[in-house]
Amino acid sequence: MAVVASRFPLLRLPIKALNHAVKTMDILDRISLSLVSKVTKSVVVRCGVSISFIRFYMQEAFFVTLTHQNLDFTWCLSQRHKTWDGSNPVELTAASVVQVAKSRTENYRWKKEGFEIKDWIKHFQDITRIHYIHRIVFGKEGERFDVDSVARTIKPFNVNALVVSNECSSKYANSIFKKVHTNHISLVRNLFPRKVALGKVLIQNSNTVYTHTNFPIKLNDLLMMNCEVFDMQARRNFSLKIFNRFLKIWRTGFNRRLTRVMIKFSGNFAPDKNVILKGIDYIEVTPTRFDFRGANGSRATLLFQHRLSRIMLFVSDGNRIQL
Amino acid sequence: MSVENAPVVDVDEAAIPVEKKMYYRFESNDKKEFRVSELAIQQSETLNRLVEAMGYTSEDVENKPAIAIENIDGKTLKLVFQWCEHHKGEAIPVDDGSVPKIVEIPEFDAKLMDIDNGLLFKLIWAADYLNIVQLLNVSCKKVANMAQGKTPAQLRRVYLLPSDEEDEAAKRAAQEAQDPRAREVEEEFEERKRQGGNSFF
């Protein structure tokens, strides 16, 4: 005899009970429910899906990770290309069935007719009410996908930060920086060992550029900078004269978007203020704080934080500086 | 006077008046009567307020008609009162609209709710109507558990969820039912088209 699965008219429950039932569902079950119809989606939106981060990972497939109470749930949204012979990169295409790992041993497989990668991402954003993507991380396996197709896929979304893995090739990294634009850029490693200019990254119209490793920085790199915030790691042999020259040029009205530069030196190092401030008309506010004027009434404050082996430059457009 | 020096008085325990346990009588919409202890009633905010407002004495409870609960049937009410009697005296969660993050279903509740989905549905409606917070918590958790590991297509079947197309069709039907003139106009338009008229107006 065939077993008839018992059914329950969920949407006919009183509103309080309906919300109660949906709110006590596991997170993946709640997301699954949101995919059934517009009505169930609105119920799930009303009940909330508490997610703290949405991240993209470009590896042997396109992954989206939602972080819920310190647990990561990762969906594979594109077709996988586990092997690649290094020839022409392939177009990023949506998976017909998306997979999400419930646990190490259990995978859920969901299908939604007509859903492209963009539709999945939009759906996740709608139900979590998170309207930006916290970061996109490119791993070396991502090179098998055509960067243009990746850029087209993520273009409608406000991606906050771009992270390029230290395993990516220079060629791939260059291509990413050229085509993928985000508010913040994070460079884990010097991806330009052949002196392909860091300026290519700094010139982008991003808000922040972070470097987590020592870059050979030239004056030209700093002069190409178009970001608001540049936080960099520097070797001890980083030329303070270059920074002094940069400050002098900045005072003439260069890069009006700039609000902060941080230079963090490796090891214990106390940079010489006389070299950095040479030729600049400054006011000594404290022994470690120096103020000077920039173009159009802007004001700069230079802080020497010796204990942290770093220099911070803050720029404001008025007399008040937010430190 | 110190405690040590206080006179010892023999107490006749039988002489102390013992407060009688009060049992209220309720009647379901299919005329089934239930006797429920005062303590058990406290689990239901609605019934508790009702009996407080009525201010019944023990005699009133016996002499006056049973309190009618019009929209709950006997089968459901039996489950509700079984639950209340089992959990009487337990702390009642504050109903502040929030939902506990983790809901464990106790063994007794699991057995009580080992029922068909139709009855479970009625039980949840009753728990909501009678405002029995903890019963609502566990019964809704049982419903939530039905979703475990289900794909959207499976959930559609389990929860009898209409598709977007079905929702649209139902909406159109409801609109038409609400506005018969719209249907008449449509029929007239179709008729004129059949007759070869170029313009409706």
Side-chain angles (χ1 to χ4, degrees):
Chain A
M1 194 173 70
V3 177
V4 180
S6 58
R7 296 174 182 197
F8 188 91
L10 183 74
L11 296 179
R12 286 173 54 206
L13 282 176
I15 192 86
K16 187 176 165 187
L18 171 61
N19 290 349
H20 225 90
V22 174
K23 282 180 184 176
T24 50
M25 281 179 188
D26 286 349
I27 187 84
L28 288 180
D29 299 330
R30 220 179 306 168
I31 295 173
S32 179
L33 180 68
S34 74
L35 289 160
V36 175
S37 69
K38 287 177 188 166
V39 173
T40 60
K41 183 180 173 185
S42 70
V43 171
V44 172
V45 169
R46 188 175 67 220
C47 293
V49 177
S50 117
I51 291 294
S52 41
F53 298 107
I54 303 180
R55 282 167 289 197
F56 295 160
Y57 291 90
M58 199 61 247
Q59 290 162 334
E60 81 270 9
F62 183 89
F63 297 98
V64 173
T65 296
L66 271 56
T67 306
H68 168 72
Q69 294 171 351
N70 294 329
L71 285 173
D72 284 345
F73 295 100
T74 300
W75 279 261
C76 174
L77 298 186
S78 76
Q79 288 177 14
R80 279 175 195 264
H81 289 272
K82 282 191 177 168
T83 53
W84 182 54
D85 60 5
S87 58
N88 290 337
V90 293
E91 188 87 2
L92 186 67
T93 47
S96 54
V97 177
V98 303
Q99 271 194 49
V100 55
K102 160 87 173 160
S103 63
R104 281 184 183 177
T105 53
E106 200 181 356
N107 277 334
Y108 288 174
R109 292 164 61 83
W110 294 345
K111 194 172 182 177
K112 182 82 179 165
E113 283 307 327
F115 253 38
E116 294 294 325
I117 295 174
K118 287 176 190 174
D119 301 313
W120 282 101
I121 300 167
K122 173 81 172 49
H123 186 86
F124 292 146
Q125 285 195 312
D126 288 346
I127 59 170
T128 58
R129 298 184 190 180
I130 296 179
H131 298 296
Y132 64 96
I133 307 302
H134 288 83
R135 68 172 65 151
I136 180 165
V137 180
F138 282 84
K140 71 168 182 180
E141 301 89 353
E143 195 163 359
R144 64 201 65 191
F145 292 101
D146 172 38
V147 180
D148 281 313
S149 68
V150 178
R152 272 197 309 276
T153 302
I154 65 165
K155 197 179 175 186
F157 306 101
N158 183 10
V159 183
N160 206 18
L162 167 64
V163 180
V164 179
S165 154
N166 56 5
E167 292 174 333
C168 293
S169 69
S170 289
K171 184 184 162 203
Y172 183 41
N174 267 314
S175 178
I176 294 165
F177 288 123
K178 206 168 150 189
K179 291 165 182 172
V180 178
H181 301 289
T182 56
N183 298 333
H184 307 285
I185 297 173
S186 184
L187 297 168
V188 180
R189 188 182 69 106
N190 179 7
L191 294 160
F192 311 101
R194 290 180 191 170
K195 295 186 182 175
V196 176
L198 173 66
K200 277 188 179 177
V201 175
L202 292 172
I203 202 170
Q204 289 196 21
N205 204 22
S206 57
N207 295 341
T208 314
V209 175
Y210 301 100
T211 68
H212 302 274
T213 189
N214 300 325
F215 276 83
I217 293 187
K218 309 280 182 213
L219 180 62
N220 273 350
D221 294 329
L222 293 176
L223 293 179
M224 287 170 90
M225 179 163 58
N226 193 32
C227 52
E228 289 176 29
V229 173
F230 178 40
D231 288 355
M232 63 174 276
Q233 293 272 338
R235 290 194 185 108
R236 277 194 199 182
N237 63 2
F238 168 72
S239 169
L240 298 180
K241 282 184 184 172
I242 283 181
F243 192 53
N244 167 263
R245 286 176 68 193
F246 165 73
L247 291 178
K248 285 176 180 167
I249 295 168
W250 172 79
R251 293 185 74 201
T252 63
F254 164 79
N255 187 4
R256 294 189 182 170
R257 296 182 74 215
L258 189 69
T259 58
R260 189 181 87 193
V261 175
M262 185 188 82
I263 305 172
K264 171 92 173 73
F265 294 93
S266 48
N268 291 324
F269 180 62
D272 186 349
K273 76 170 176 61
N274 294 319
V275 178
I276 293 173
L277 290 166
K278 189 180 177 186
I280 296 173
D281 188 14
Y282 64 85
I283 300 165
E284 185 172 338
V285 181
T286 69
T288 55
R289 176 178 171 170
F290 304 88
D291 286 2
F292 52 91
R293 290 277 172 194
N296 301 325
S298 63
R299 184 171 137 169
T301 289
L302 194 63
L303 291 177
F304 288 84
Q305 298 177 315
H306 296 314
R307 274 195 307 162
L308 301 168
S309 303
R310 70 184 190 189
I311 312 168
M312 306 276 292
L313 172 76
F314 292 97
V315 179
S316 74
D317 54 2
N319 292 320
R320 221 157 47 85
I321 290 184
Q322 198 77 38
L323 296 180
Chain B
M1 192 187 287
S2 70
V3 174
E4 286 83 359
N5 298 331
V8 178
V9 180
D10 286 332
V11 177
D12 179 8
E13 285 187 13
I16 299 172
V18 178
E19 201 177 325
K20 271 190 175 176
K21 268 189 184 173
M22 216 152 86
Y23 282 83
Y24 287 90
R25 287 160 52 231
F26 294 96
E27 192 179 78
S28 62
N29 61 4
D30 49 1
K31 305 293 175 203
K32 286 188 179 136
E33 196 177 299
F34 300 89
R35 293 173 77 85
V36 188
S37 72
E38 196 176 7
L39 200 55
I41 286 168
Q42 286 173 7
Q43 291 292 330
S44 160
E45 196 187 324
T46 308
L47 294 183
N48 199 34
R49 282 191 181 174
L50 184 70
V51 296
E52 270 179 14
M54 287 174 142
Y56 275 11
T57 62
S58 307
E59 287 74 34
D60 290 337
V61 168
E62 295 305 325
N63 300 331
K64 292 189 176 178
I67 301 164
I69 301 176
E70 295 291 348
N71 41 7
I72 305 177
D73 63 32
K75 208 172 171 186
T76 312
L77 211 50
K78 186 181 172 189
L79 288 174
V80 170
F81 288 142
Q82 273 180 349
W83 188 92
C84 289
E85 287 292 356
H86 185 83
H87 291 278
K88 67 185 171 193
E90 287 180 11
I92 299 161
V94 180
D95 185 16
D96 57 0
S98 65
V99 173
K101 280 183 182 163
I102 299 167
V103 179
E104 298 284 349
I105 302 179
E107 201 182 331
F108 173 85
D109 297 9
K111 275 186 186 167
L112 185 94
M113 293 189 296
D114 191 11
I115 48 182
D116 66 71
N117 283 343
L119 191 52
L120 178 66
F121 182 75
K122 287 181 183 175
L123 182 69
I124 294 175
W125 268 96
D128 181 60
Y129 174 68
L130 299 174
N131 210 354
I132 308 173
V133 180
Q134 189 54 19
L135 178 56
L136 196 64
N137 281 346
V138 290
S139 53
C140 287
K141 182 62 185 170
K142 179 159 170 125
V143 174
N145 287 346
M146 293 175 191
Q148 265 179 1
K150 303 280 191 302
T151 65
Q154 289 167 330
L155 287 180
R156 190 194 303 283
R157 288 191 291 275
V158 170
Y159 287 138
L160 297 164
L161 300 169
S163 64
D164 287 337
E165 294 72 28
E166 287 165 339
D167 276 332
E168 281 296 319
K171 201 173 158 187
R172 273 198 305 273
Q175 275 171 351
E176 280 176 23
Q178 263 185 350
D179 186 3
R181 176 69 192 141
R183 197 186 181 98
E184 279 172 28
V185 170
E186 203 172 310
E187 280 171 2
E188 204 177 331
F189 177 68
E190 290 298 323
E191 182 59 32
R192 289 198 180 213
K193 255 181 32 180
R194 271 198 298 275
Q195 288 170 1
N198 289 330
S199 169
F200 181 61
F201 297 103

